[in-house]
Amino acid sequence: MAKRDVIGEFDTVILGAGAAGMMCAAQAAARGGRVLVLDHAKAPGEKIRISGGGRCNFTNLDVKPQRFISANPHFAKSALSRYTQHDFIALVAAHGIAYHEKTLGQLFCDESATLVIAMLVAEMERAGAQLELGASVENVAKTESGFSIRVSIEGKSRAITARNFVVACGGKSIPKMGATNYGYKLAEQFGLAVTETRAGLVPLVFGPETMAGSRELAGVACDARVSCNKTTFDEALLFTHRGLSGPAILQISSYWREGQPVEVNLAPKLNVLEALKARRKRDGRKAVGTVLADLLPKRLAAEIASATAAKGNIADMNDKALGALADAVNRWRVVPMGTEGYRTAEVTLGGVDTAGLNSRTMEARDVPGLYIIGEVVDVTGWLGGYNFQWAWSSGWAAGQAIAAASD
């Protein structure tokens, strides 16, 4: 994008050149408003770039408000219904970006996530928004006419004023990408409440003395049904060197709280007890570990057999012993030590309390001209493109509101 002086008056200053910030900028500038986007990174959309294994799971075909977590489960409905997944898909298609559905409605770029970043930058440029990278905000203050912002660019401190200020700098997940809690601090500075924040969509950690934390199982994967707090996910599970991961675990991590058990069904399509009884009748002379290995990955079968002290031929095991073995597969209960934290979390749960925001415009109710969008808000989606859709929808809602107010 063309460089212009970062000094003087703007209609809108947006802090954060991520998914929500760039979407907001393209909308806010579309009707002639002078819009400046600031980011401390060297390139825009860094989380977009690394998402989806570098191919960006940019939305989901089956977006529903029920698949978002918030203290107010109704808050996200307005933005999600006015700028839908189909709207974003149409934008992607208009830019000639090829994509495909991977699983469960998840849409990925056929090529690179950088195409989505280039699309957003092009949309901003077409609308006339200005992007300034390597910029650190030193201070933001409310004035009678809007906001005064002190920003450092290339070691030089600049003074900027704006009628609107948009906080779009994300949450605390993946700090190596530059994530901080600055967005929450800004919100609190202007009197908005911030709910408890914690890592979401994150692997669970277990002690090495447990089967879940056994290094012998690292790399083993299987389909699983994982449940906690009346919520269940049927997806893949992966054993790691520190515990459990994979889509099913990442999903349930957003619903799990410290000290709570998680129930895992390692063979969700199979009644293991009935299968074992049938094999006892048909293959009684086979070792129980061998029979179990026909139903599960071999290393996992061996670990379960060892953990339940199941040995000898299956014919020698009574119904009670088979029941205990089956429960270790179909009803395995584990209590995580914790999560891997923000280092590997895909999102931040919690954030700026939605009670202080207008759900249609994303504007702070008591601070005219202040908008909060994207991950920094207390709205967190499921794994699978939902959080990007929230970024697109909330950014669009704020940008539209800003543009309409300037007419």
Side-chain angles (χ1 to χ4, degrees), residues 211 216-217 220-222 237 239 266 292 296-306 329 332:
M211 189 177 86
E216 297 297 318
L217 292 176
V220 172
C222 64
L237 175 148
F239 286 85
L266 294 166
L292 197 59
L296 297 168
K298 289 184 179 180
R299 279 193 285 159
L300 179 57
E303 194 75 21
I304 292 173
S306 174
V329 179
W332 181 37

Side-chain angles (χ1 to χ4, degrees), residues 196 198 228-229 252-261 336:
E196 176 194 3
R198 55 196 175 91
C228 184
N229 283 324
I252 209 66
S253 72
S254 293
Y255 293 86
W256 174 79
R257 300 305 296 257
E258 289 76 3
Q260 294 180 336

Side-chain angles (χ1 to χ4, degrees), residues 15-202:
L15 180 59
M22 288 193 284
M23 174 60 83
C24 180
Q27 299 302 313
R31 301 184 199 177
R34 193 178 180 208
V35 176
L36 172 66
V37 182
L38 301 170
D39 200 296
H40 61 78
K42 295 179 180 178
E46 282 291 82
K47 282 191 178 180
I48 298 174
R49 182 180 61 80
I50 67 168
S51 67
R55 291 196 174 182
C56 186
N57 178 192
F58 56 81
T59 193
N60 194 291
L61 289 172
D62 201 23
V63 170
K64 299 175 182 177
Q66 305 93 294
R67 295 179 176 180
F68 292 82
I69 303 167
S70 174
N72 178 359
H74 303 291
F75 182 82
K77 289 180 178 179
S78 177
L80 292 173
S81 67
R82 289 185 298 120
Y83 190 84
T84 72
Q85 66 270 38
H86 305 295
D87 293 314
F88 192 77
I89 292 167
L91 179 63
V92 167
H95 281 260
I97 300 173
Y99 63 90
H100 61 278
E101 180 183 355
K102 190 173 181 181
T103 183
L104 299 173
Q106 300 167 10
L107 299 187
F108 288 77
C109 297
D110 283 358
E111 297 180 36
S112 171
T114 57
L115 295 175
V116 174
I117 299 171
M119 175 190 76
L120 293 167
V121 171
E123 287 290 308
M124 287 196 297
E125 196 160 42
R126 184 169 65 87
Q130 183 177 346
L131 173 63
E132 192 67 38
L133 300 168
S136 299
V137 172
E138 298 174 339
N139 182 61
V140 182
K142 190 77 176 74
T143 64
E144 287 187 11
S145 58
F147 298 85
S148 66
I149 302 117
R150 175 68 62 174
V151 59
S152 175
I153 301 173
E154 297 178 349
K156 295 180 180 179
S157 186
R158 312 281 183 90
I160 303 169
T161 62
R163 287 193 295 110
N164 306 297
F165 184 71
V166 183
V167 179
C169 48
K172 297 187 280 188
S173 58
I174 320 181
K176 70 178 181 180
M177 302 298 294
T180 70
N181 64 349
Y182 187 54
Y184 308 121
K185 287 184 175 180
L186 278 174
E188 290 177 327
Q189 174 188 325
F190 290 109
L192 279 77
V194 176
T195 69
E196 176 194 3
T197 56
R198 55 196 175 91
L201 299 180
V202 62

